Amino acid sequence: MPSPLSVVFAASDAGLWRIDRITPVIGDTLPAASCLSVHENGAAPMAAAWSLRGTTSNTRYTTRAETGALASRQEGLGRPAATLAALIPIRKTEAWWALAQDERRHIFEESSRHIAIGLEYLPGIARRLHHCREFAEPFDFLTWFEYGPQDAGAFEDLVARLRATEEWHYVDREVDIRLSRSA
Amino acid sequence: MPSPLSVVFAASDAGLWRIDRITPVIGDTLPAASCLSVHENGAAPMAAAWSLRGTTSNTRYTTRAETGALASRQEGLGRPAATLAALIPIRKTEAWWALAQDERRHIFEESSRHIAIGLEYLPGIARRLHHCREFAEPFDFLTWFEYGPQDAGAFEDLVARLRATEEWHYVDREVDIRLSRSA
């Protein structure tokens, strides 16, 4: 578990990723833009149409057994064959944040199988979670996914299954941004 | 559980709290200063000798039963009789952050009784936890305590008990700043 990595996702007219579409799933959308760039541990570009900032962090719900299962199957970001990506910012309700740790864990995994579902799609669909609730940002989490065209159908299945869970009753804003690598 | 509150603790030559002493417990100390001011949701003063920034957040380990026990006994900050305070910044090791959630919970409470020990000192010793690991700050947590002179001995007992726990094997920097209200 490395130190937190600060990441800015900046939408503008230039960037490694071409924005194919921005879909509001729950609540307000984000403004249209043509490209997205991802900046690790650096300053946000000044000319962005919009930017979202988060950091990686320690896990919050994952047990040792689950950590081992994930580590044995997952692959990193930046694979040459992973030419598709998604950025899915979500915000959870105050009711979620008022729950105790054991209540949130129960909904997250024992009810919603968030970890188990994600595990089914490894290693094809790689992901990295960024936290931003403590940054006065408009979302609580930014999840970044990378996958190849052969996993595009599986990715739709993955997000549909997560959105059908009890955990998603506590999501009050979600935007789904799909991207293709432009270089 | 309100939204995260951003807090800056700024040491300078003016402020509501007079710094009585700064003691390095583990690792490097902080520079001497005469006063400390606490800024909620505002900009940090420019002239500070040093400042530390964190935010309140959701609980990370506390169960529903523990939350109820704490809520039934704890009092807020700012009580007129609470003329003494302590700011204790700590940093935990990379080994701590590499543990899974269930492992950290086990050390934190089943082994170290962190929540149960704190509960014994309520309502006399009020406290608020601020997180800063994701802010590229020199510490991971800033805990702020307020209590009256009649609880000064109990406070020494509280910090000594916590420092003797298994959890504290994972602390690699700790500074203990004691304060008295100057106004």
Side-chain angles (χ1 to χ4, degrees):
Chain A
M1 181 60 55
S3 294
L5 179 71
S6 175
V7 181
V8 174
F9 297 92
S12 67
D13 56 5
L16 178 62
W17 296 93
R18 186 175 61 242
I19 296 176
D20 296 322
R21 62 184 186 279
I22 299 179
T23 308
V25 180
I26 302 170
D28 291 344
T29 192
L30 285 164
S34 57
C35 292
L36 187 85
S37 54
V38 182
H39 304 267
E40 297 186 353
N41 278 341
M46 299 300 291
W50 50 260
S51 63
L52 297 170
R53 184 169 69 102
T55 74
T56 63
S57 186
N58 57 293
T59 56
R60 305 290 167 89
Y61 301 108
T62 319
T63 65
R64 172 52 53 194
E66 290 159 351
T67 300
L70 291 166
S72 72
R73 296 193 56 180
Q74 69 198 355
E75 295 181 356
L77 301 182
R79 297 169 298 179
T83 56
L84 300 176
L87 175 64
I88 304 190
I90 69 168
R91 184 180 66 200
K92 284 182 169 174
T93 62
E94 289 303 310
W96 171 263
W97 295 113
L99 293 173
Q101 177 69 25
D102 55 338
E103 295 171 319
R104 280 182 276 106
R105 161 71 198 190
H106 182 85
I107 294 167
F108 183 84
E109 191 58 23
E110 279 69 33
S111 164
S112 302
R113 314 299 296 167
H114 191 131
I115 297 164
I117 290 172
L119 186 60
E120 288 181 44
Y121 297 88
L122 296 179
I125 298 168
R127 61 178 171 180
R128 189 168 71 189
L129 177 64
H130 311 81
H131 298 255
C132 37
R133 178 166 161 78
E134 282 70 38
F135 289 159
E137 286 276 314
F139 296 94
D140 292 338
F141 302 101
L142 311 172
T143 310
W144 175 259
F145 301 87
E146 290 182 5
Y147 50 97
Q150 74 283 2
D151 286 305
F155 186 72
E156 300 304 330
D157 186 44
L158 168 61
V159 296
R161 289 175 68 187
L162 288 172
R163 288 172 184 152
T165 62
E166 181 185 6
E167 184 192 352
W168 245 252
H169 298 171
Y170 295 89
V171 174
D172 68 3
R173 189 175 179 198
E174 177 178 10
V175 181
D176 187 333
I177 303 158
R178 300 302 178 87
L179 311 106
S180 310
R181 199 158 62 206
S182 56
Chain B
M1 180 62 53
S3 293
L5 179 71
S6 175
V7 181
V8 174
F9 297 91
S12 67
D13 55 6
L16 178 63
W17 296 93
R18 187 175 59 243
I19 296 177
D20 296 323
R21 61 184 186 280
I22 298 179
T23 308
V25 180
I26 301 170
D28 291 343
T29 192
L30 285 164
S34 57
C35 293
L36 188 85
S37 54
V38 183
H39 304 266
E40 297 185 352
N41 277 343
M46 297 301 290
W50 50 262
S51 64
L52 298 171
R53 183 168 70 100
T55 74
T56 62
S57 186
N58 57 293
T59 57
R60 306 289 166 89
Y61 301 109
T62 318
T63 65
R64 172 53 53 194
E66 291 159 350
T67 300
L70 291 165
S72 72
R73 296 193 58 181
Q74 68 198 356
E75 295 181 355
L77 301 181
R79 296 170 298 179
T83 57
L84 300 177
L87 175 64
I88 304 189
I90 69 168
R91 185 181 65 201
K92 284 182 168 172
T93 61
E94 289 303 310
W96 171 263
W97 295 114
L99 294 172
Q101 177 70 23
D102 55 337
E103 295 170 319
R104 280 181 275 105
R105 162 71 198 190
H106 183 84
I107 295 168
F108 183 85
E109 191 58 23
E110 280 69 33
S111 164
S112 302
R113 314 299 296 166
H114 191 131
I115 297 165
I117 290 172
L119 186 61
E120 289 182 43
Y121 296 89
L122 296 178
I125 299 168
R127 61 178 171 180
R128 190 169 70 191
L129 176 64
H130 311 81
H131 298 254
C132 36
R133 179 167 160 77
E134 281 71 38
F135 289 159
E137 285 276 314
F139 297 95
D140 292 340
F141 302 102
L142 311 172
T143 311
W144 174 258
F145 301 88
E146 291 181 5
Y147 51 96
Q150 73 283 2
D151 285 307
F155 186 71
E156 299 305 330
D157 186 45
L158 168 60
V159 294
R161 288 175 68 187
L162 287 172
R163 288 172 184 153
T165 61
E166 181 186 6
E167 184 192 353
W168 245 252
H169 299 171
Y170 295 90
V171 174
D172 68 3
R173 189 175 178 197
E174 177 179 11
V175 180
D176 187 333
I177 304 158
R178 299 302 178 88
L179 311 106
S180 309
R181 199 158 61 205
S182 55

